[in-house]
Amino acid sequence: MTSTAANHDAGATDATIKIGNTQTYSGPASSYGIIGRSQAAYFGMINEQGGINGRKIQYISHDDAYNPQEALKQARKLVESDEVLLMVPPSSTLWIRETLSYLDGKNVPLIGHWQPSYQGEAHVYGAYLAKNHPDHKVAILYSEFADSSVAGLDQGLGASRAERISVPGNAAASLGAGAHIHMLKHMGATALVSFTTPMFTAEAIRMMPEIGWKPAVHILANASLPFGRVLNLSSETSKGIISANYLKDPDDPDWSNDPGMRTFVEFLERALPNEDEGNYLLAYGYTMAQGIVALLKQCGDVLTRANMIKQAKNMNDIKFDLLLPGITFNTSLRKNHVPIQQMQLSRFDGMKWMRFGPLMEAMVKTN
């Protein structure tokens, strides 16, 4: 089918589809930059295979330096100068807060926030603590952009007897991880939940032995996880850390013969040979890119923003290489259209993550 002007909006032609993104390639959260690089590599592979319905993807990703003003500036450039058809979000919620109203005003869809919300994930941790450790003194270490995570944790804790203390992360940025974990130790915290950047989290893990503190329960949010190799280097400190995920762990040998994992590893060997395949951010970026490609295929030759939003709300039972067994990708079955709302807890055993317990609903209560 040959498309006409009525069949596509700015950013799409008979030959190309422009996708925009800002990503943190520099600054205090530069470790998130691998998300953009993995997406670029995946879209490049799709182009080599012929593109989407004959169209090649032009993926334009600018550095936001983990700065909200810079994020908005680069979003404007992507929409007004680069003229992208749609935007793909990075992991940083600060970007979304600063630019979503601008994108709405320009009728540019933000597509690709597939994973459970930070608030929903935090609800999982709160529910786990309430059920299994109701008498702990729970310390929360969080960035200034993690208010929703704190709210989710509180919802999960519910009427638990757990006492909660918190340390705002904007202070953490100025004082550093060492000062804060030292303070939390002396405040009597017996459980620690961290909603900070991987760099800050890795520093905290390395510093804990120096002050002789190992909380009885240590939970790291998915976005807070440092690279797997950092956990291995600090295996005694890291042993027993709990997190939750919806993706298979490339470091887990249990998946070595899994067809989806083999496809992912082959992709990395070909497109990103110098990256650490155990870095979960690679898996995250890869899965997000798979979702975008699935959406574009479902749109067919009608590449209007209105159709893109319509189709994004009706993506059902789509299989992705790295989703955990039992977790489904469905957008039309839920009011908020978030396709993945289940996670499974895992515990780090000093070498790898060991899944335990049933799938848990990453629920967000609404009035």
Side-chain angles (χ1 to χ4, degrees), residues 78-100:
L78 286 162
V79 172
E80 297 170 20
S81 297
D82 298 316
E83 295 186 316
V84 298
L85 176 66
L86 73 152
M87 294 285 287
V88 178
S91 59
S92 173
T93 55
L94 76 91
W95 184 97
I96 296 173
R97 292 182 185 183
E98 289 295 324
T99 62
L100 188 54

Side-chain angles (χ1 to χ4, degrees), residues 231-265:
L231 292 177
N232 286 334
L233 291 172
S234 306
S235 58
E236 285 307 309
T237 307
S238 304
K239 192 173 183 179
I241 285 177
I242 292 171
S243 190
N245 211 333
Y246 51 94
L247 297 175
K248 301 166 189 172
D249 178 9
D251 269 345
D252 187 344
D254 289 347
W255 301 116
S256 59
N257 293 318
D258 176 75
M261 183 60 70
R262 288 204 305 268
T263 299
F264 172 65
V265 172

Side-chain angles (χ1 to χ4, degrees), residues 279-299:
N279 181 355
Y280 84 99
L281 293 175
L282 282 168
Y284 171 81
Y286 175 88
T287 302
M288 184 188 292
Q290 279 197 317
I292 295 296
V293 168
L295 171 62
L296 292 174
K297 287 180 177 179
Q298 188 166 311
C299 288

Side-chain angles (χ1 to χ4, degrees), residues 7-8 10 39 73 82 125 150 273 283 318 344 363:
N7 284 337
H8 60 73
Q39 290 171 352
K73 174 185 174 182
D82 298 316
Y125 302 134
V150 176
I318 298 175
Q344 186 169 25
M363 299 181 296

Side-chain angles (χ1 to χ4, degrees), residues 10 54 63 93 112 116 124 170 182-183 187 192 200-201 219 228-229 237 243 252 285 287 308 321 325 330 338 340 346:
D63 185 14
T93 55
V124 168
N170 52 354
H182 193 275
M183 177 170 55
M187 292 174 72
L192 174 63
F200 190 93
T201 302
I219 294 175
R229 303 300 182 261
T237 307
S243 190
D252 187 344
T287 302
M308 191 163 297
D321 293 332
N330 293 284
V338 175
I340 301 172
S346 297

Side-chain angles (χ1 to χ4, degrees), residues 132-307:
N132 298 282
H133 305 283
D135 296 314
H136 275 276
K137 190 172 187 178
V138 181
I140 307 174
L141 191 61
Y142 65 99
S143 77
E144 61 267 44
F145 303 108
D147 293 343
S148 64
S149 296
V150 176
L153 186 74
D154 284 341
Q155 286 181 351
L157 286 171
S160 167
R161 299 185 299 275
E163 179 184 355
R164 184 173 77 71
I165 56 179
S166 61
V167 178
N170 52 354
S174 60
L175 294 179
H180 269 87
I181 60 172
H182 193 275
M183 177 170 55
L184 292 172
K185 174 188 176 183
H186 287 280
M187 292 174 72
T190 55
L192 174 63
V193 184
S194 180
F195 302 113
T196 57
T197 65
M199 187 181 300
F200 190 93
T201 302
E203 181 187 352
I205 290 172
R206 287 193 295 263
M207 292 288 293
M208 282 181 180
E210 296 184 16
I211 66 168
W213 186 45
K214 184 174 174 62
V217 183
H218 189 178
I219 294 175
L220 299 182
N222 192 274
S224 300
L225 288 176
F227 302 150
R229 303 300 182 261
V230 174
L231 292 177
N232 286 334
L233 291 172
S234 306
S235 58
E236 285 307 309
T237 307
S238 304
K239 192 173 183 179
I241 285 177
I242 292 171
S243 190
N245 211 333
Y246 51 94
L247 297 175
K248 301 166 189 172
D249 178 9
D251 269 345
D252 187 344
D254 289 347
W255 301 116
S256 59
N257 293 318
D258 176 75
M261 183 60 70
R262 288 204 305 268
T263 299
F264 172 65
V265 172
E266 289 169 2
F267 159 76
L268 293 182
E269 290 174 347
R270 181 175 60 254
L272 296 165
N274 297 320
E275 298 292 346
D276 175 9
E277 67 182 45
N279 181 355
Y280 84 99
L281 293 175
L282 282 168
Y284 171 81
Y286 175 88
T287 302
M288 184 188 292
Q290 279 197 317
I292 295 296
V293 168
L295 171 62
L296 292 174
K297 287 180 177 179
Q298 188 166 311
C299 288
D301 284 309
V302 184
L303 291 173
T304 63
R305 289 162 178 162
N307 186 48

